Amino acid sequence: MRQRRQDNIGISNLKSDELVHNSFVEMMFFICLAIFGLKMHFHGGISSLDHVEEELMVHNVSQHVSQQQRKKPHRQRYIPCEVPFIDSVNYLREPMDNNKFAHFYLGYAEREERISQNDTFEAHFGGHQTLEERDKSYHARSQTIHCGFVSGPDGFPGTGFELDEKDKKYMSTCSVAVSSCIFGSSDFLRRPTSKVISEYSKKNVCFVMFVDEQTLVKLSAEGNVPDDKGNIGLWKIVLVRNLPYEDMRKTGKVPKFLSHRLFPSSRYSIWLDSKLRLNADPMLIIEYFLWRTVSEYAISNHYSRHCVWEEVLQNKRLNKYNHTAIDEQFSFYQSDGLIKFDPSDPKILLPSFVPEGSFIIRAHTPMSNLFSCLWFNEVDRFTSRDQLSFAYTYLKLKRLNPDKQFYLHMFKDCERRAVTKLFHHRMDN
Ligand SMILES: *[C@@H]1O[C@H](CO)[C@@H](O)[C@H](O)[C@H]1NC(C)=O
Ligand SMILES: *[C@@H]1O[C@H](CO)[C@@H](O)[C@H](O)[C@H]1NC(C)=O
Ligand SMILES: *[C@@H]1O[C@H](CO)[C@@H](O)[C@H](O)[C@H]1NC(C)=O
């Protein structure tokens, strides 16, 4: 392993396209793949656990062992693969804004008036998008669409996700944002691995952890108290008041999908679930997953499931959500174009129809923002299980916009494992 690290440093001064073709890296990659495949074969049958816990390795969680663990033989079932980052942020060159990515203007519905003067109207964070508006919103063209943060008419209570003005002001200055959230005290705080993060990124990237009051109280009680600037380690802690949904998982989809709204002047963002620790430099991540692949949206595939049909069964088996609601969503999707994943189809649009959405890298281009809004709206309308709506949203967007490309890069789950470290969710609640 030591050998491998040195080799990496040795090749890192090459241009990125030469890097990709480096045969040594490729060889390591295929060895890792082979091991990965083997492990899957041995452990593919476990189904009694949450998909999150299912993939988890059992090992001692300690802040100081992360470097050693990269060198020691891995005990986890799914092994990270080699991610050939460039050596240093000093070699970063942002690609020129070319005309490859679609250009159009997206506006966002901010306020809704009640349509009729009856008393049943309730203001909702996601608004009241009609099915007709929903269909229109899938067209990639200049228009105003629903994308969360919709307020009701005057006199109605706020629809939630309220932030302090000073936090909003700070967030509006970010040009690159890394964010995560913990709501309902569902997790521990995992600080990004500071020593792998460049001074450049520490200075220029915003690291924001959204929490609710309950989580903040719990973290403080455990000794994680934000400093004078509101930081815990690299994380800037941002308190969210008045959560928009009773379902915490649904609330978690607000920062997950809507980073372009929360960080309105940001050009790039990285999302990671609270179960993950960021273990690589965010700018190197952006270079590797977006710039080098000329993509505007990058997400990993699921480590074992590729078909939404399987995902539906698994969600029900693990009782992840109200079965009736899953069925309603699934049958709606089937009646509107969702097909089974067929790996033998030469025209297949994605390597998998099921994502592992715990780690997402985005350029905030119009198409990428549109996809994020559309996916969020599916979660708002149906279930919070976003693995169920990903392929539908993507396929419908492609189908309705044959003349506009959406450069989505679906990378391998083992690459996600190489740049983030996976932990158990908090168990004590
Ligand atoms: C984890 O490691 C630390 C120090 O390396 C040790 O003190 C602790 O007992 C270990 N915990 C478990 C659960 O093995
Ligand atoms: C109240 O208004 C909503 C939305 O316009 C409508 O769907 C509903 O049928 C109305 N209810 C009554 C009792 O009029
Ligand atoms: C399950 O979902 C259905 C359809 O959305 C709803 O009518 C029902 O009340 C839900 N059941 C529970 C227990 O929440």
Side-chain angles (χ1 to χ4, degrees):
M1 286 302 211
R2 188 167 292 278
Q3 190 67 39
R4 179 160 120 200
R5 295 183 145 260
Q6 279 166 357
D7 249 86
N8 258 348
I9 293 163
I11 58 172
S12 55
N13 290 337
L14 298 176
K15 287 205 197 85
S16 55
D17 51 351
E18 286 170 298
L19 250 184
V20 174
H21 297 295
N22 181 284
S23 60
F24 181 77
V25 172
E26 270 180 13
M27 194 182 75
M28 289 314 293
F29 177 67
F30 283 116
I31 290 170
C32 287
L33 255 192
I35 297 167
F36 177 66
L38 203 69
K39 297 271 173 176
M40 293 234 323
H41 180 73
F42 280 123
H43 296 281
I46 296 169
S47 62
S48 56
L49 300 163
D50 182 335
H51 82 283
V52 167
E53 281 108 42
E54 192 182 331
E55 63 178 325
L56 205 97
M57 52 291 199
V58 185
H59 64 160
N60 192 340
V61 172
S62 157
Q63 294 232 1
H64 305 292
V65 294
S66 64
Q67 269 314 102
Q68 281 166 3
Q69 271 168 352
R70 300 176 106 199
K71 292 171 194 164
K72 274 194 220 154
H74 287 266
R75 269 178 285 168
Q76 63 262 49
R77 281 177 240 141
Y78 298 103
I79 292 186
C81 43
E82 194 71 14
V83 168
F85 284 132
I86 57 171
D87 191 37
S88 153
V89 292
N90 299 332
Y91 303 121
L92 285 176
R93 258 176 307 155
E94 184 174 2
M96 303 291 266
D97 182 25
N98 54 32
N99 287 322
K100 197 167 172 163
F101 299 143
H103 283 272
F104 51 94
Y105 171 79
L106 274 187
Y108 304 113
E110 304 220 329
R111 222 173 112 93
E112 262 178 2
E113 298 300 333
R114 57 205 297 176
I115 306 155
S116 68
Q117 286 300 320
N118 66 30
D119 289 333
T120 58
F121 182 88
E122 268 184 69
H124 285 303
F125 180 81
H128 298 76
Q129 189 194 45
T130 64
L131 284 177
E132 200 188 355
E133 286 168 336
R134 175 177 174 274
D135 266 333
K136 282 188 181 152
S137 68
Y138 272 84
H139 291 278
R141 61 186 174 207
S142 294
Q143 61 172 328
T144 296
I145 60 171
H146 283 77
C147 193
F149 301 96
V150 180
S151 66
D154 279 342
F156 275 76
T159 54
F161 217 89
E162 284 152 22
L163 306 171
D164 278 356
E165 281 308 316
K166 65 174 189 336
D167 289 332
K168 277 197 208 169
K169 204 170 157 194
Y170 167 74
M171 285 155 59
S172 72
T173 64
C174 303
S175 60
V176 179
V178 173
S179 58
S180 184
C181 75
I182 308 173
F183 295 133
S185 208
S186 58
D187 234 320
F188 299 103
L189 186 77
R190 323 272 180 208
R191 302 180 194 195
T193 309
S194 181
K195 67 182 166 220
V196 299
I197 295 175
S198 63
E199 287 308 312
Y200 176 87
S201 294
K202 283 176 186 165
K203 204 179 281 176
N204 294 288
V205 174
C206 297
F207 296 85
V208 172
M209 173 63 76
F210 296 98
V211 299
D212 59 348
E213 278 161 307
Q214 182 192 346
T215 305
L216 191 59
V217 168
K218 180 119 185 175
L219 288 177
S220 301
E222 291 170 346
N224 276 315
V225 183
D227 65 17
D228 297 346
K229 289 180 180 158
N231 292 354
I232 300 178
L234 283 177
W235 286 126
K236 160 109 178 141
I237 306 296
V238 169
L239 178 62
V240 180
R241 290 200 172 83
N242 187 10
L243 301 186
Y245 302 98
E246 268 173 43
D247 178 356
M248 297 282 180
R249 289 173 194 246
K250 219 170 224 196
T251 300
K253 300 304 181 284
V254 175
K256 174 170 178 175
F257 291 131
L258 304 183
S259 56
H260 59 293
R261 307 234 39 211
L262 286 162
F263 303 94
S265 54
S266 61
R267 292 185 301 130
Y268 298 98
S269 67
I270 296 174
W271 163 262
L272 69 158
D273 261 28
S274 53
K275 68 177 178 183
L276 301 177
R277 180 196 301 289
L278 186 68
N279 214 8
D281 185 275
M283 293 312 299
L284 298 185
I285 290 175
I286 288 168
E287 189 280 331
Y288 178 77
F289 289 101
L290 296 181
W291 297 351
R292 212 182 290 183
T293 60
V294 196
S295 309
E296 47 195 328
Y297 197 104
I299 187 166
S300 74
N301 64 15
H302 193 270
Y303 63 98
S304 69
R305 289 187 291 282
H306 300 308
C307 186
V308 182
W309 271 248
E310 284 173 76
E311 188 60 27
V312 165
L313 283 180
Q314 185 70 357
N315 272 266
K316 288 185 176 175
R317 202 180 289 144
L318 305 180
N319 263 323
K320 299 308 273 180
Y321 211 88
N322 176 338
H323 291 201
T324 315
I326 291 179
D327 285 337
E328 281 174 3
Q329 179 172 21
F330 189 41
S331 59
F332 191 109
Y333 287 175
Q334 285 177 73
S335 71
D336 190 28
L338 181 65
I339 49 167
K340 282 190 178 170
F341 182 73
D342 174 7
S344 66
D345 178 359
K347 282 185 283 179
I348 195 105
L349 290 166
L350 290 169
S352 171
F353 281 0
V354 182
E356 164 50 62
S358 56
F359 182 60
I360 302 176
I361 307 109
R362 245 172 300 181
H364 290 176
T365 56
M367 205 65 175
S368 167
N369 293 347
L370 174 60
F371 179 71
S372 295
C373 294
L374 296 175
W375 196 7
F376 175 79
N377 288 340
E378 292 308 305
V379 167
D380 179 65
R381 178 178 294 273
F382 295 105
T383 70
S384 63
R385 308 300 297 164
D386 57 18
Q387 313 89 305
L388 303 179
S389 41
F390 169 78
Y392 167 82
T393 306
Y394 178 81
L395 295 172
K396 187 174 167 91
L397 180 63
K398 292 287 264 193
R399 191 168 71 237
L400 295 185
N401 300 282
D403 56 329
K404 291 210 176 69
Q405 279 290 331
F406 173 34
Y407 294 91
L408 182 141
H409 170 46
M410 201 170 203
F411 55 89
K412 295 188 176 61
D413 183 57
C414 63
E415 294 177 287
R416 175 181 67 88
R417 289 165 200 276
V419 292
T420 62
K421 218 162 103 60
L422 182 62
F423 293 90
H424 276 292
H425 283 299
R426 195 193 270 274
M427 296 294 193
D428 62 289
N429 64 342

